[in-house]
C-alpha cells in the first residue's frame, strides 16, 4: 500500500530535492532540446539541474540529519540563489525562497504549500523586469492559482496534484502563447522543468508520480533560431551584497536600458542575484559595481560557437601597444613606478572599484596589465577586470598583493613579448616574491600570535601578523629573520614616510650581520601605513 504523507517534514523535503536532481539529470537533454526562448542556447535543462544541485549541496553543508523543513528549505533557498544558472535557475531560486518563507512555522501542510506557491509566483513577477507570457513564469502562476482554489480542508496530496496538473495544462498552452514556440512546435523548456519538479513533489507526497507526455520534445530543425555574430549577446550574472532596495531598483533600470531578460532576486538576507542578456557585458558589470559589492561574476557568450569557426590571422612584431597600471601609495613609490614607465593610480586614501575601472579605461593603450597591490578585494578585482574589457582594451590583472611584489614584476616586464607571456612572467615573479611589512599598532587587537597593544611593533608576512614586540626595531629584525628563513638573495626595502632613519639603518645592518650574501636595496616609498615593506627574492 502506498504511503500518503499528511505533511512534508525536513526529511521528505530533502528526498524531494534529491529526486528533482535525479529527474532533471535524466531529462536534461530533453529540456535543453526545447530551449528556443529567450535565446536558443540549449541550456535550460542544464541551468535548472545546476541550480538544484547547488540547493542540495547547501543542504548537505548546512543542515544535520534531523533538520526541520524550514531549516532544509532555508538552506535550499540560499544555495539556489547563490548558485543559480540562467534566468530559469534564478526563477527556480524564488520557488525555493517561497518554500523557505512559508515553512517558518513548521512542516509543509496543504496550507503552507499553497502559500509557498503563491509567494513564489509573486516573487518571480516582481523580479522579472518585462514579464513574458508562455514561459516558466506563466506555468508557475497557474500552479499557484490552482493550489489556492483547493478547498480549505484539502489534503497536501490534493493540493500538490492540483498544482502539478494545472502546471502541465499551462505548459501545453505555452506553444500557442509565444510565436517562437508556435513556429518550433514545442512547449517552454523552463516550464517543462517546473512541471517535472511538481510531479516529483506529488510522487514524494502520494507515492506515485503522474505520467505525462507532450506532443513534441524537440523543435523542428527548419525553424530553430540560431544566434549569429550580428546579434552577439552575452548572459551576465553576478551576486550583489552591501546594497539596498533603492540601489537595486536603480540597477534594474540601468540594466533594462542596456539589455533584456533582466531578473534581480533577493535571498531575503541582504543579498541579490542578478541576470541580464546584453551586448555589452562590461557595462552590465559596471552597473553592478555602483550597486554594491559584486561576487561570482559569470559571463556566457551566446555566439561563441559561431565565432569559433572564424579564422583570424594574428601577427606580432616589435613593441606591443601595452601599458602597465599600478596602484601605489606614497610619493616615493609613485616616482619609482613612473620611472619605469608605469601609469600610477594613487591610493593614499582607499580607492574604490569604480576608480580603478575609470583609470583602466583612461589608459591610451590596447593592452593593460594591472598591478593592484592589495588595494581591493579579490571579488572586486574580478568585477573590474570583466567590466574593463571592451573593444578598446584587453585587460589582465596580475597577482600582486604589495608594492614590493609589483616592483619585482616590473623588473621582468618585456614589451616585445605577447601579452599572455609577459603577464605570465610578471605574475610568476610577483608570486615568487615573499613579502612582509613592519608597522606600529594603533589599537588593541587580537592576532594569530596574541594580543597587541597600541604602540607595539607588528611584523606581518602577507596579511597576517607573525611578530608582536614592544620595540619596533626588534620586531623588524624578527620579521627579517622570518622572511629570510627559507633563503633569498635580495631584500628590497620600501621605506614608509614615518620610518626613522635609524630604524632602516638597523635593519640593513641586521641583514649584513646575520644573513651574509643577501643584498639589500632601499627605496623611499612614502607610504603612511607601513614603516617599511620588505620583499625577498
Amino acid at each position: 500500500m502506498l504511503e500518503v504523507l499528511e505533511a512534508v517534514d525536513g526529511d521528505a523535503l530533502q528526498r524531494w530535492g534529491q529526486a528533482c536532481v535525479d529527474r532533471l539529470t535524466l531529462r536534461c537533454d530533453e529540456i535543453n532540446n526545447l530551449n528556443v526562448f529567450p535565446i536558443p542556447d540549449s541550456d535550460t535543462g542544464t541551468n535548472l539541474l545546476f541550480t538544484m544541485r547547488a540547493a542540495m549541496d547547501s543542504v548537505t553543508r548546512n543542515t544535520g540529519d534531523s533538520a526541520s523543513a524550514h531549516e532544509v528549505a532555508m538552506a535550499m533557498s540560499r544555495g539556489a540563489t547563490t548558485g543559480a544558472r540562467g534566468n530559469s535557475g534564478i526563477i527556480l531560486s524564488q520557488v525555493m525562497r517561497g518554500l523557505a518563507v512559508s515553512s517558518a512555522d513548521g512542516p509543509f501542510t496543504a496550507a503552507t504549500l499553497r502559500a509557498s506557491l503563491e509567494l513564489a509566483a509573486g516573487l518571480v513577477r516582481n523580479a522579472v523586469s518585462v514579464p513574458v507570457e508562455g514561459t516558466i513564469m506563466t506555468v508557475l502562476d497557474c500552479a499557484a492559482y490552482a493550489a489556492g482554489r483547493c478547498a480549505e480542508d484539502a489534503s497536501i496530496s490534493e493540493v500538490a496534484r492540483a498544482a502539478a496538473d494545472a502546471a502541465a495544462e499551462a505548459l501545453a498552452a505555452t506553444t500557442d502563447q509565444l510565436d517562437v514556440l508556435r513556429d518550433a512546435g514545442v512547449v517552454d523548456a523552463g516550464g517543462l522543468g517546473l512541471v517535472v519538479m511538481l510531479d516529483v513533489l506529488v510522487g514524494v507526497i502520494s507515492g506515485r508520480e503522474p505520467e505525462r507526455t507532450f506532443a513534441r520534445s524537440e523543435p523542428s530543425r527548419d525553424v530553430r533560431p540560431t544566434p549569429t555574430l550580428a546579434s552577439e549577446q552575452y548572459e551576465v550574472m553576478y551576486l550583489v551584497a552591501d546594497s539596498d532596495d533603492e540601489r537595486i531598483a536603480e540597477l534594474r533600470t540601468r540594466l533594462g536600458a542596456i539589455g533584456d531578460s533582466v531578473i534581480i532576486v533577493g535571498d531575503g538576507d541582504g543579498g541579490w542575484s542578478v541576470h541580464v542578456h546584453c551586448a555589452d557585458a562590461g557595462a552590465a558589470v559596471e552597473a553592478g559595481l555602483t550597486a554594491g559589492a559584486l561576487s561570482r561574476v559569470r559571463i556566457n557568450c551566446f555566439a561563441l560557437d559561431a565565432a569559433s569557426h572564424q579564422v583570424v590571422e594574428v601577427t606580432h612584431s616589435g613593441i606591443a601597444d601595452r601599458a602597465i597600471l599600478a596602484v601605489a601609495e606614497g610619493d616615493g613609490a609613485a616616482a619609482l613606478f613612473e620611472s619605469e614607465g608605469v601609469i600610477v593610480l594613487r591610493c593614499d586614501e582607499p580607492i574604490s572599484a569604480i576608480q580603478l575601472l575609470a583609470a583602466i579605461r583612461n589608459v591610451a593603450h590596447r593592452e593593460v596589465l594591472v598591478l593592484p597591490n592589495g588595494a581591493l578585494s579579490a571579488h572586486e578585482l574580478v568585477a573590474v577586470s570583466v567590466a574593463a574589457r571592451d573593444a578598446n582594451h584587453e585587460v589582465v590583472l596580475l597577482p600582486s598583493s604589495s608594492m614590493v611584489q609589483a616592483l619585482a614584476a616590473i623588473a621582468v616586464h618585456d614589451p616585445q613579448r605577447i601579452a599572455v607571456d609577459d603577464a605570465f612572467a610578471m605574475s610568476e615573479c610577483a608570486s615568487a616574491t615573499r613579502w612582509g611589512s613592519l608597522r606600529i599598532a594603533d589599537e588593541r587587537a587580537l592576532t594569530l600570535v596574541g594580543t597587541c597593544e597600541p604602540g607595539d611593533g607588528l611584523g606581518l608576512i602577507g596579511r597576517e601578523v607573525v611578530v608582536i614586540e614592544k620595540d619596533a626595531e626588534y620586531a623588524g629584525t624578527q620579521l627579517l629573520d622570518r622572511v629570510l628563513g627559507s633563503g633569498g638573495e635580495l631584500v628590497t626595502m620600501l621605506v614608509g614616510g614615518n620610518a626613522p632613519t635609524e630604524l632602516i639603518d638597523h635593519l640593513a645592518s641586521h641583514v649584513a650581520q646575520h644573513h651574509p650574501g643577501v643584498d639589500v636595496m632601499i627605496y623611499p616609498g612614502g607610504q603612511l601605513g607601513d614603516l617599511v615593506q620588505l620583499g625577498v627574492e
Side-chain angles (χ1 to χ4, degrees):
M1 183 175 179
L2 297 177
E3 179 186 5
V4 178
L5 301 181
E6 296 182 359
V8 174
D9 59 12
D11 179 66
L13 192 59
Q14 289 191 61
R15 285 191 282 114
W16 171 71
Q18 188 55 54
C20 285
V21 171
D22 296 340
R23 203 70 78 253
L24 288 171
T25 300
L26 289 173
R27 304 189 69 170
C28 184
D29 289 342
E30 176 189 356
I31 297 172
N32 282 341
N33 286 335
L34 294 173
N35 185 194
V36 296
F37 180 85
I39 295 292
D41 49 350
S42 301
D43 66 353
T44 296
T46 303
N47 290 338
L48 289 170
L49 175 58
F50 271 86
T51 304
M52 201 64 207
R53 281 178 177 168
M56 295 311 296
D57 287 345
S58 177
V59 172
T60 300
R61 292 193 308 270
N62 298 301
T63 65
D65 294 337
S66 58
S68 67
H70 180 60
E71 291 170 335
V72 172
M74 286 293 292
M76 292 172 73
S77 176
R78 287 192 295 268
T81 301
T82 58
R85 294 281 192 95
N87 54 9
S88 56
I90 287 194
I91 289 174
L92 175 57
S93 75
Q94 295 308 279
V95 175
M96 300 298 110
R97 186 178 172 192
L99 296 176
V101 173
S102 301
S103 61
D105 296 329
F108 278 97
T109 62
T112 50
L113 179 56
R114 281 195 296 263
S116 67
L117 290 173
E118 290 171 358
L119 176 59
L123 289 170
V124 169
R125 282 278 173 184
N126 291 331
V128 178
S129 293
V130 183
V132 176
E133 300 304 330
T135 64
I136 183 175
M137 180 183 63
T138 307
V139 176
L140 177 58
D141 279 346
C142 292
Y145 180 75
R149 285 179 58 85
C150 288
E152 286 295 323
D153 59 351
S155 67
I156 188 172
S157 176
E158 291 170 330
V159 172
R161 183 66 191 236
D165 287 347
E169 184 177 346
L171 175 64
T174 59
T175 304
D176 294 321
Q177 288 180 288
L178 274 176
D179 289 344
V180 66
L181 298 180
R182 183 185 302 111
D183 292 342
V186 296
V187 296
D188 179 69
L192 175 57
L194 180 60
V195 171
V196 168
M197 296 177 65
L198 290 173
D199 281 347
V200 170
L201 180 62
V202 173
V204 169
I205 294 173
S206 68
R208 178 176 297 167
E209 290 184 31
E211 296 182 3
R212 308 188 193 278
T213 57
F214 296 95
R216 296 194 64 162
S217 60
E218 186 173 350
S220 168
R221 296 183 182 274
D222 296 332
V223 297
R224 176 192 283 275
T226 56
T228 65
L229 288 176
S231 59
E232 181 172 296
Q233 266 199 330
Y234 296 91
E235 179 184 57
V236 181
M237 297 186 67
Y238 47 77
L239 303 180
V240 180
D242 300 333
S243 190
D244 53 52
D245 291 340
E246 182 177 352
R247 293 165 74 190
I248 292 299
E250 292 175 359
L251 174 60
R252 186 188 299 278
T253 300
R254 289 189 63 181
L255 294 179
I258 65 174
D260 54 30
S261 293
V262 178
I263 307 176
I264 303 180
V265 300
D267 62 4
D269 195 28
W272 286 266
S273 182
V274 177
H275 173 279
V276 63
H277 292 170
C278 60
D280 188 346
V285 176
E286 183 180 1
L289 287 170
T290 66
L294 266 60
S295 62
R296 298 202 184 189
V297 179
R298 186 165 57 245
I299 297 175
N300 297 317
C301 179
F302 294 126
L304 187 59
D305 289 340
S308 67
H309 295 297
Q310 289 191 340
V311 177
V312 180
E313 183 178 353
V314 179
T315 60
H316 176 75
S317 62
I319 296 177
D321 182 20
R322 183 179 311 143
I324 300 175
L325 172 66
V327 180
E329 177 188 0
D331 292 339
L336 273 176
F337 287 120
E338 289 171 345
S339 69
E340 296 293 333
V342 174
I343 300 169
V344 171
L345 172 62
R346 294 291 292 266
C347 66
D348 302 85
E349 297 291 335
I351 65 169
S352 68
I354 293 293
Q355 287 174 294
L356 178 56
L357 176 60
I360 294 172
R361 288 182 168 171
N362 285 333
V363 173
H365 296 266
R366 179 168 181 78
E367 299 172 353
V368 187
L369 306 185
V370 182
L371 294 161
N373 301 337
L376 295 171
S377 65
H379 70 263
E380 288 177 308
L381 292 175
V382 170
V384 168
S385 178
V386 172
R389 295 189 184 101
D390 54 27
N392 299 316
H393 294 102
E394 296 176 4
V395 182
V396 178
L397 272 76
L398 307 183
S400 63
S401 299
S402 64
M403 292 189 290
V404 286
Q405 286 185 314
L407 290 172
I410 291 168
V412 300
H413 164 57
D414 184 353
Q416 295 193 9
R417 288 190 291 235
I418 63 173
V420 65
D421 291 344
D422 197 23
F424 177 80
M426 295 175 69
S427 298
E428 186 177 44
C429 191
S431 60
T433 300
R434 299 189 302 280
W435 73 282
S437 56
L438 178 66
R439 64 183 62 168
I440 301 298
D442 56 7
E443 62 181 358
R444 192 172 192 269
L446 179 63
T447 76
L448 291 177
V449 292
T451 302
C452 66
E453 301 292 342
D456 284 349
L458 304 180
L460 291 82
I461 294 180
R463 303 295 177 190
E464 298 294 342
V465 175
V466 296
V467 174
I468 301 175
E469 297 290 348
K470 294 296 183 184
D471 179 69
E473 286 190 357
Y474 186 58
T477 58
Q478 292 293 299
L479 176 62
L480 279 168
D481 291 341
R482 293 286 188 93
V483 295
L484 286 168
S486 56
E489 299 177 351
L490 172 66
V491 174
T492 299
M493 297 187 185
L494 194 61
V495 181
N498 295 325
T501 302
E502 56 269 23
L503 169 65
I504 305 305
D505 292 341
H506 180 76
L507 296 180
S509 297
H510 181 81
V511 174
Q513 293 174 15
H514 297 278
H515 301 279
V518 177
D519 294 328
V520 176
M521 299 292 290
I522 301 174
Y523 299 104
Q527 71 273 10
L528 298 180
D530 299 325
L531 294 176
V532 61
Q533 276 191 16
L534 305 173
V536 177
E537 301 174 61

